[in-house]
Amino acid sequence: MNPQGERWTAEQVLALAPDAASHKAGGKLAGAASWSGTGARGQAVWGLCAGSGSEPYRTVIDVHGPAYRCSCPSRKFPCKHALGLLLLWGAGGAGVPEGGEPPEWAEQWLGERRERAR
């Protein structure tokens, strides 16, 4: 959520893109067809994005940071997967359902962030 407690707009998300290529690639990943296992609760948004490998990329975002974690090999930060997931979440609808528990891999990263904040 942004400081006003609202989902981010596409403009807010794309302003985070490190370059024009990431901006474009993130936009291409903003559709629900690219994602599975998505969810959001509190400050966390997570999902799995099918990539070129056999395993989907695990993407988790702390929207209050904002901070991002993705299992992809990209050196860009945030990567196109984080941008795509944030765009999907920001659009609302069923693409990223609210509630539920984050998967273990997402909760582990979020827990580590909480510990460091203490």
Side-chain angles (χ1 to χ4, degrees), residues 8-28 66 68 74-84 86-87:
W8 294 2
T9 65
E11 292 78 22
Q12 290 170 313
V13 172
L14 293 173
L16 300 170
D19 55 31
S22 298
H23 185 283
K24 184 176 180 179
K28 289 181 180 179
Y68 328 89
S74 177
R75 293 184 184 197
K76 295 182 181 182
F77 198 74
C79 69
K80 65 184 180 181
H81 306 103
L83 293 170
L86 279 171
L87 287 167

Side-chain angles (χ1 to χ4, degrees), residues 77-111:
F77 198 74
C79 69
K80 65 184 180 181
H81 306 103
L83 293 170
L85 182 57
L86 279 171
L87 287 167
L88 181 61
W89 169 74
V96 181
E98 288 286 336
E101 294 295 320
E104 182 180 333
W105 55 267
E107 183 55 46
Q108 180 179 356
W109 181 76
L110 293 164

Side-chain angles (χ1 to χ4, degrees), residues 25-65:
K28 289 181 180 179
L29 292 175
S34 299
W35 295 91
S36 64
T38 58
R41 189 183 80 190
Q43 66 189 35
V45 180
W46 61 87
L48 301 169
C49 186
S52 57
S54 61
E55 294 291 319
Y57 296 124
R58 297 173 173 183
T59 308
V60 59
I61 301 156
D62 176 344
V63 296
H64 287 205

